[in-house]
Amino acid sequence: MEVLFLEVLSKMNGVRTVSGPLHLLKGKRSSQTIQDIGLFQCDKWAAALKHVPYSRLRKVEEQLYVHNMVHTENKSAFLTEKGYNYLNKHREIMHNLQFNGRKWEWDNEAEIFWQRLSLLTQAVSHKQYKNSSYLPVYAPYEVKYYVKNILRQNNSNNLAEELFHFLNIHLKEAGEERAELFMARLSGYNYTGRTFFQLENQNAPVVLTYLEFRSIIHQMLEDLESSPAELYGLFPVKEAASQVTASAAITGKAVKEGRSLQETARFRKLKESTIEDHLVELAMHDPSFEYERFISSTILANIFEAVEKHSGERKLKDIRESLGKKVSYFHIRLALALLHKNKQGERDSG
């Protein structure tokens, strides 16, 4: 957890307090956090520690100061030399994880998929041994509904074979150690899956064990197209609306009706700065958002050029000063959001 805090804080480069990484790693659903994910290119670690209580994360935050790995200047947090050294020592482990929190953890797709997959595996295993009396690993109605549908629509022997091939392919790609970790979490006939705490060892603390496990799930979710049709019911459908907060979505609707920024603020009885936050969020995640109404092509080009000249610099103050304060902070944030969306699109298409 300390490494993740330091990793995210280093990307924020003094623009946020140490609470910035905390909210991002916890997956706080606010416009500010969603913007930070894009502006500081932290998609990988968004909501990575959503399972950890805020109280525990606050203790990690305190320890970074106690151990002199972070210091604060003018309410902004920076890594100390000791902090950078600690991060560099452990960074490789984190970079080896095929983890995409913003894509699969933020809206809980990874957890939904895991619950369905683990219950289906357990059910198929017991069917193979003709045993109908067992305690389901997950009992929520929604999970049982999807799994029952899959079982009802497919022959159990064919389903067992497809499930075996599906797991075999992905676990071979994951490597032996991670494959064993994943299999140890599954339950089946005469076998109960182990918890992360039961799987923890000296070389792999529980948080790292959790992230390695979730990384395998993320890779399975990425490979929907090559998955057998019998297992499509395991994969949650990602709703486009889930990409933005509910409040930003309402602002987006008001803007689409023709209201200006100021008119939208009055209509929603919110501060203009809050509406600006929503517009930046929409620019980053809503393909239908008409950003041209809020920033001219000339200003947008000037900001893009300034970012490129500063080697991808994301500090709003430095960008504004380089432009002679001809543009507002809102314009810069909007441009950075669009830049992030463009780069994300290039990565997805590549």
Side-chain angles (χ1 to χ4, degrees), residues 23-158:
H23 294 315
L24 189 149
L25 292 168
K26 182 65 178 173
K28 182 181 180 181
R29 301 189 69 85
S30 68
S31 291
Q32 182 68 70
T33 303
I34 291 174
Q35 290 171 46
D36 284 352
I37 292 167
L39 295 180
F40 303 115
Q41 300 177 357
C42 292
D43 301 70
K44 182 171 185 175
W45 303 123
L49 300 180
K50 66 181 182 182
H51 64 293
V52 180
Y54 261 114
S55 58
R56 179 72 182 93
L57 295 178
R58 289 292 183 191
K59 288 181 180 178
V60 175
E61 178 185 323
E62 291 172 8
Q63 289 302 305
L64 293 176
Y65 283 103
V66 170
H67 296 300
N68 193 33
M69 289 193 280
V70 171
H71 70 103
T72 301
E73 293 179 15
N74 299 322
K75 296 183 179 181
S76 295
F78 299 85
L79 270 66
T80 62
E81 183 179 354
K82 184 179 179 181
Y84 275 113
N85 290 337
Y86 186 83
L87 175 60
N88 291 331
K89 181 180 178 181
H90 299 284
R91 183 177 254 161
E92 186 178 354
I93 298 173
M94 311 308 295
H95 283 196
N96 288 337
L97 295 171
Q98 302 300 310
F99 193 89
N100 191 331
R102 180 65 181 94
K103 190 172 184 179
W104 300 120
E105 298 293 343
W106 192 261
D107 295 308
N108 220 35
E109 284 90 352
E111 183 61 22
I112 293 170
F113 174 74
W114 162 244
Q115 289 184 7
R116 294 176 185 175
L117 175 63
S118 56
L119 180 57
L120 178 65
T121 303
Q122 183 190 34
V124 169
S125 173
H126 281 275
K127 272 184 173 291
Q128 293 301 102
Y129 287 92
K130 297 180 171 51
N131 178 47
S132 59
S133 178
Y134 60 92
L135 185 65
V137 286
Y138 289 103
Y141 170 78
E142 295 82 1
V143 178
K144 290 194 290 187
Y145 170 80
Y146 279 95
V147 171
K148 282 183 178 179
N149 272 349
I150 295 172
L151 292 169
R152 190 181 302 117
Q153 295 169 12
N154 297 279
N155 174 276
S156 61
N157 289 330
N158 291 341

Side-chain angles (χ1 to χ4, degrees), residues 122-222:
Q122 183 190 34
V124 169
S125 173
H126 281 275
K127 272 184 173 291
Q128 293 301 102
Y129 287 92
K130 297 180 171 51
N131 178 47
S132 59
S133 178
Y134 60 92
L135 185 65
V137 286
Y138 289 103
Y141 170 78
E142 295 82 1
V143 178
K144 290 194 290 187
Y145 170 80
Y146 279 95
V147 171
K148 282 183 178 179
N149 272 349
I150 295 172
L151 292 169
R152 190 181 302 117
Q153 295 169 12
N154 297 279
N155 174 276
S156 61
N157 289 330
N158 291 341
L159 194 56
E161 186 175 344
E162 292 293 354
L163 192 58
F164 171 80
H165 286 305
F166 174 79
L167 291 172
N168 189 43
I169 289 170
H170 287 285
L171 295 180
K172 276 185 177 180
E173 292 176 353
E176 186 176 348
E177 287 188 13
R178 289 179 180 173
E180 289 179 357
L181 163 64
F182 193 88
M183 292 302 296
R185 292 277 293 141
L186 290 171
S187 294
Y189 182 74
N190 281 344
Y191 184 80
T192 303
R194 285 178 281 172
T195 68
F196 290 113
F197 288 100
Q198 290 172 333
L199 293 167
E200 183 181 19
N201 60 60
Q202 190 174 1
N203 297 320
V206 67
V207 170
L208 181 56
T209 302
Y210 169 84
L211 293 175
E212 288 182 332
F213 171 76
R214 300 298 272 204
S215 294
I216 302 171
I217 294 176
H218 292 187
Q219 291 307 295
M220 290 178 175
L221 286 165
E222 293 283 359

